[in-house]
Amino acid sequence: MWRLFLTDAPLVERRGVARDMWVLGFAAPEIAASVKAGQFVNIGLRLGSLLRRPFSVYRAEGDRIEVVLKAVGVGTAQMLAMREGDVASCLGPLGCGFDLSRPAKSVTLVSGGLGVAPMPLAVRDARAAGLHVTWVHGARTADELCSETDGDDVILATDDGSAGFAGTVVAAAPDADLVLACGPNRMLAAVSQRWPQAQVAVETYMGCGTGVCLGCAVPLTGGGYDRACTEGPVYLAADVDWQALPSHLSYAVSA
Amino acid sequence: MWRLFLTDAPLVERRGVARDMWVLGFAAPEIAASVKAGQFVNIGLRLGSLLRRPFSVYRAEGDRIEVVLKAVGVGTAQMLAMREGDVASCLGPLGCGFDLSRPAKSVTLVSGGLGVAPMPLAVRDARAAGLHVTWVHGARTADELCSETDGDDVILATDDGSAGFAGTVVAAAPDADLVLACGPNRMLAAVSQRWPQAQVAVETYMGCGTGVCLGCAVPLTGGGYDRACTEGPVYLAADVDWQALPSHLSYAVSA
Amino acid sequence: MTSDLSVEVGGLELRGPVLAASGTFGYGTEVPLLERRALGAMVSKGIFLKPRAGTAPPRIAETPSGMLNAIGLQGPGVDGLIRDYAPKWAAWDFPVLVNINGESAAEYGELSARLDGVPGVAGFEINISCPNVEQGGMYFGNDPRAAASVTEAVRRRTKLPVWVKLTPMVSDIGIIARAVEAAGADALSAVNTFVGMSMDLNAYQPRLSFRTGGLSGPAIRPLAVHLAHQAARAVDIPVIGVGGIMRAEDALEFLVAGCRAVQVGTATFVNPNAIAEVHDGIAAFMAAKGFASLSELPRYLPRD
Amino acid sequence: MTSDLSVEVGGLELRGPVLAASGTFGYGTEVPLLERRALGAMVSKGIFLKPRAGTAPPRIAETPSGMLNAIGLQGPGVDGLIRDYAPKWAAWDFPVLVNINGESAAEYGELSARLDGVPGVAGFEINISCPNVEQGGMYFGNDPRAAASVTEAVRRRTKLPVWVKLTPMVSDIGIIARAVEAAGADALSAVNTFVGMSMDLNAYQPRLSFRTGGLSGPAIRPLAVHLAHQAARAVDIPVIGVGGIMRAEDALEFLVAGCRAVQVGTATFVNPNAIAEVHDGIAAFMAAKGFASLSELPRYLPRD
Ligand SMILES: Cc1cc2nc3c(=O)[nH]c(=O)nc-3n(C[C@H](O)[C@H](O)[C@H](O)COP(=O)(O)OP(=O)(O)OC[C@H]3O[C@@H](n4cnc5c(N)ncnc54)[C@H](O)[C@@H]3O)c2cc1C
Ligand SMILES: Cc1cc2nc3c(=O)[nH]c(=O)nc-3n(C[C@H](O)[C@H](O)[C@H](O)COP(=O)(O)OP(=O)(O)OC[C@H]3O[C@@H](n4cnc5c(N)ncnc54)[C@H](O)[C@@H]3O)c2cc1C
Ligand SMILES: Cc1cc2nc3c(=O)[nH]c(=O)nc-3n(C[C@H](O)[C@H](O)[C@H](O)COP(=O)(O)O)c2cc1C
Ligand SMILES: Cc1cc2nc3c(=O)[nH]c(=O)nc-3n(C[C@H](O)[C@H](O)[C@H](O)COP(=O)(O)O)c2cc1C
Ligand code: FES
Ligand code: FES
């Protein structure tokens, strides 16, 4: 049985890693000590929106976890308005992470935009498993590329060609065996075309993050729905019914 | 026609004036320039409760207004958690203030607890009108007395006798002609017994503060209801039906 | 680009789709700050034939993202309204509708007859959330026959536009909507407040002296959008969405859900310029999407 | 002092008045963190006879102080429940009620018969917010006859406690409450979610794939307190208050308004320890006021 922690975590660091993209560091020792690549934390602010918001753990070091985000709505805007010392309630680690126990010599990480989020931990865990790491990272333009990509090989791609390969990460990536991917659901659908066996971290709305609300339904090719927060958020690409998975999400709480 | 201002006012000062009682200063130049004693501002915080909260203007100097408060609920607690530079939306000045144009040589201010709130401005306006000022201020205990009382004569009173007169402000006050009073509605009811012609500033719930919701009903001895935010909050003590005015108020918003 | 935000609603040409909701804008004369340039129309505080004192305080209580009110329709009665307010309205550049109330269909009818032809009165909004005293205090609003009879009583006495403000406290709002449409309503306002209660844990009593109150504000918005949408699907006359609109996006939800216009209520308490900001935000949205007029805004109104 | 928080509710002795609401606690097996010591009872996620896949995503949307959900009663059906969950419940130190659902009165009856006597199943909560497929899809919950017939169908097939979960989407909740009491209900849960809708301004469509969803959370609390109070005034069996409880004060509002116990739903999503915190807060309130047991808490239940 995994252990879950609920902790009031003070903001201890904030740094920019791309245009409008920020890393926030929180002191959350138990989560930092136990989180695996691909797992997430569910973050709530006292005066914020009612529901928590899920974020992949970006890094975990010492007593600190980091998440990476942009302001896309009320919740993320409020998080970015936090000052050092302000406290966020963190619930985690949640979900099943990437599976690096499969026999392989190398791993290819494929990330689009904010899909960088689970990758630094994936690099850590892959190295610990003795794998050669290639990280293919893409964004719309050069200034939207995350500056903290890492790995034995790093390949960058931009839609407008302003840096690296001109085109999508899926087109830019070399042939690969073990593939871990994260990014917009549309990108993941393309990943599943090329690598049906890729492990992909999907995004859905989440009510609870803990498996009790059934709000985070992921439609499966085999029929029925899984819970992204519990059976996921990492899936074999071929298992997800990409047609039925919403690609545009908005909680749209206001006032 | 009076002028009303709606302004985002940054917190510029905070100081303690009694146990748990704080003065907050906000930069709100237009309100500071036009407010009269007994008027109030309606303050809203962006992520706070839905409705604004009314506060008497305590002082106005230069481009700054001050309010005095204790944490009694969610709204006031949140205001006291503000840091310098944080912004509050201020709407004001609202309501009719004290009337100092009546023929008199001296004025007696009677305040209980947070009822100090409109008095520093009353001192200012009374002095400008050439009046001799006696201020009678009371609280439950010595450490709850506001430290910023002012006037030609100052009389203090405490319920437990730990400072000044042992008893209520109404009992402590000398005979007086022109009386301005503010404090709990129960205290004002006692004021009205002794000085039916006193001008008292009453508290009610307020929905809008601007006269449009009719939520701030003050029951009148002559029958019917007035709007505390518009015809009030200052009344002739004899005009208010103290039996019918709620003495315990609670908005009780939570979560 | 500048989009045309004018709309025709139930017999009135309005310069914009954002209206002031009854009881939240007084008689329009109260506040100097309120921005009027963007106001499509104003609905006055509800009145009865006779003056009313209203309920005892406390009259309001705040709840999460909402407020309860029990004002008790305090007001000057029709004579006071004709004397003190209508003459001012006659000079304004937007129409004013009077929100009318009664304890019997005849009383509604008489009220509209008294106001018909008074300069400054551009139309009526019938508040059917009143108890029908003749029928044992049942609400007009959740009985299709009673709602229709009130509508007819008013319709017979005036040529001015007649709107009906629907109550949400019904099992099927479509039935009431169709009944008042058939009885001659020109438009529907959906919806009035929801009945709620809040308890004081010191007094072990309701916080409001009236015990219950009407819930308004953002808390009710998803419920109001649903009811306004259901009403819009049920009738051919225009529906005006009301409930929890704080900003332009909220108003656009109602418009996309099939409403012709919207009313803003509680938001004005919080932000006296709310109506202007909602109006301007809709204009900005329309311009950004390239819609030349409100008729181009896509609506979601399946007829199944 | 320590107050006694135990209560008897509709045939069950509970160690505390704070229960887990159906659909918000899964089958009680999901989360290691959830504090169980303070749990009075758990109501399982609603099930049907047959397994159900549930609705397509998006299934939830946040609204001011609330959330909409349209899960579509995804679940394993009665066989899966008996196989996978009931055996675990049998070992727990608090009772588990099964929230039962059907498309006809007969289906509800059969479901309760299948579960009657299964170790771990301590009672039933009938969810009457389901469409009655035999009667053209009208909801059981807003027709007193249909609500009573479902209650009777279950009552006939089991000796276990039968609670009925009322829907708020009715004109007069007292009528439904009395009908199901007469049909043999041991207690009432009031209330289920309110139907709401939220529009996506990019797609010009509802945010939820099911179009509408049920509104829960603090936004509905004043409405739920009122309905639970109305139900409690209408019947003699105990009423369990549900809707928007986040902390002890909120639960106390329901208790003071006449409820015997409460259920906590959405709050558990936000704070997995919400139930324990509500329980502890009630205990602290009781102790501070000097009430030795819940029966001493003053209730506001005028019978006029
Ligand atoms: C398992 C998981 C891990 C995630 N990890 C990260 C991360 O590491 N960094 C990060 O920035 N975001 C991450 N997300 C998405 C993040 O949760 C949302 O961006 C966030 O909830 C938006 O909240 P908001 O209040 O700012 O936006 P809202 O006001 O709620 O919505 C505004 C916009 O946010 C987007 N959005 C809202 N909810 C979601 C959602 N659940 N998933 C995707 N997009 C959404 C939509 O594009 C919408 O238009 C993750 C989501 C999941 C499910
Ligand atoms: C014209 C006017 C001027 C005021 N001036 C001041 C002032 O200068 N300083 C100050 O501290 N307070 C003042 N008040 C009271 C102040 O507005 C309330 O204390 C405040 O609204 C409480 O908000 P809350 O969210 O903290 O409390 P809530 O959580 O809303 O309620 C908690 C407690 O606050 C009290 N309370 C709530 N609303 C009111 C209210 N409208 N009036 C009185 N008590 C209330 C009740 O005792 C209640 O138990 C004034 C009120 C009015 C009407
Ligand atoms: C204080 C107050 C008074 C109201 N008075 C009336 C009224 O007199 N007649 C009426 O039809 N509606 C009245 N309403 C209902 C509003 O017009 C509106 O339908 C409701 O508040 C929902 O909109 P909102 O959430 O934007 O406030 C009143 C609402 C409030 C808050
Ligand atoms: C995600 C979700 C699923 C629910 N599923 C059920 C259900 O299966 N059966 C039922 O009777 N009520 C169900 N409910 C209603 C809750 O039990 C409760 O009545 C409602 O959410 C109001 O309480 P709250 O505001 O505390 O959440 C569900 C609520 C939510 C939010
Ligand atoms: S988010 Fe609630 S079950 Fe997954
Ligand atoms: S507070 Fe709204 S009229 Fe006075």
Side-chain angles (χ1 to χ4, degrees), chain A residues 21-22 38-42 49 51-58 66-78 94 114-118 182 185 201-206 216 228-229 232-233 247-254, chain D residues 62 200 202 207:
Chain A
M21 196 193 289
W22 302 87
Q39 288 188 304
F40 66 99
V41 286
N42 217 1
S49 55
L51 299 175
R52 292 168 182 271
R53 297 286 189 259
F55 293 90
S56 302
V57 177
Y58 179 74
E66 292 180 352
V67 298
V68 60
L69 67 161
K70 289 186 178 183
V72 297
V74 282
T76 43
Q78 205 193 333
L94 292 162
L114 275 167
V116 291
C182 186
N185 289 342
V202 305
E203 286 194 359
T204 64
Y205 296 102
M206 292 196 170
C216 57
C229 68
S247 54
H248 180 84
L249 299 175
S250 164
Y251 281 122
V253 58
S254 102
Chain D
E62 192 170 337
D200 185 313
N202 289 302
R207 284 180 207 288

Side-chain angles (χ1 to χ4, degrees), chain D residues 18-174:
Chain D
V18 189
L19 286 58
S22 178
T24 64
F25 215 78
Y27 304 94
T29 55
E30 280 74 4
V31 187
L33 189 76
L34 291 168
E35 254 304 359
R36 281 139 212 267
R37 91 186 134 72
L39 201 55
M42 177 188 112
V43 185
S44 80
K45 172 70 191 161
I47 61 150
F48 276 86
L49 267 180
K50 297 262 152 55
R52 280 167 69 104
T55 50
R59 289 180 172 186
I60 58 177
E62 192 170 337
T63 68
S65 298
M67 66 177 278
L68 292 170
N69 87 79
I71 308 299
L73 288 160
Q74 175 177 337
V78 70
D79 293 325
L81 187 142
I82 292 173
R83 185 185 60 233
D84 297 336
Y85 302 117
K88 293 183 182 152
W89 300 342
W92 292 355
D93 60 353
F94 54 86
V96 177
L97 293 95
V98 179
N99 182 273
I100 58 176
N101 299 265
E103 294 183 341
S104 65
E107 224 178 289
Y108 281 94
E110 188 176 341
L111 192 45
S112 56
R114 289 286 311 280
L115 287 166
D116 188 62
V118 171
V121 176
F124 300 103
E125 184 181 71
I126 304 178
N127 180 7
I128 55 172
S129 303
C130 289
N132 182 341
V133 168
E134 288 176 330
Q135 310 256 321
M138 284 287 294
Y139 289 88
F140 288 103
N142 49 31
D143 174 359
R145 263 175 312 230
S149 76
V150 167
T151 309
E152 266 160 30
V154 174
R155 179 74 293 165
R156 270 201 303 273
R157 307 291 289 270
T158 180
K159 292 253 172 316
L160 292 175
V162 174
W163 299 358
V164 177
K165 175 105 169 254
L166 303 176
T167 166
M169 306 308 286
V170 295
S171 303
D172 185 343
I173 201 167

Side-chain angles (χ1 to χ4, degrees), chain D residues 167-282:
Chain D
T167 166
M169 306 308 286
V170 295
S171 303
D172 185 343
I173 201 167
I175 294 173
I176 311 286
R178 277 190 293 268
V180 300
E181 177 183 44
D186 298 304
L188 305 176
S189 307
V191 287
N192 216 313
T193 53
F194 293 69
V195 180
M197 188 161 90
S198 175
M199 304 303 292
D200 185 313
L201 299 182
N202 289 302
Y204 304 108
Q205 294 231 84
R207 284 180 207 288
L208 299 183
S209 73
F210 192 67
R211 300 185 182 176
T212 63
L215 186 67
S216 65
I220 67 168
R221 190 167 66 234
L223 309 181
V225 167
H226 176 243
L227 291 165
H229 173 74
Q230 291 289 99
R233 284 171 69 167
V235 297
D236 293 317
I237 53 176
V239 171
I240 302 144
V242 203
I245 295 173
M246 301 299 282
R247 53 191 90 170
E249 290 71 27
D250 309 338
L252 284 159
E253 281 202 48
F254 281 94
L255 296 176
V256 168
C259 296
R260 184 77 61 87
V262 296
Q263 294 178 4
V264 171
T266 302
T268 294
F269 301 165
V270 179
N271 171 11
N273 289 324
I275 288 174
E277 289 174 16
V278 170
H279 177 98
D280 294 350
I282 294 174

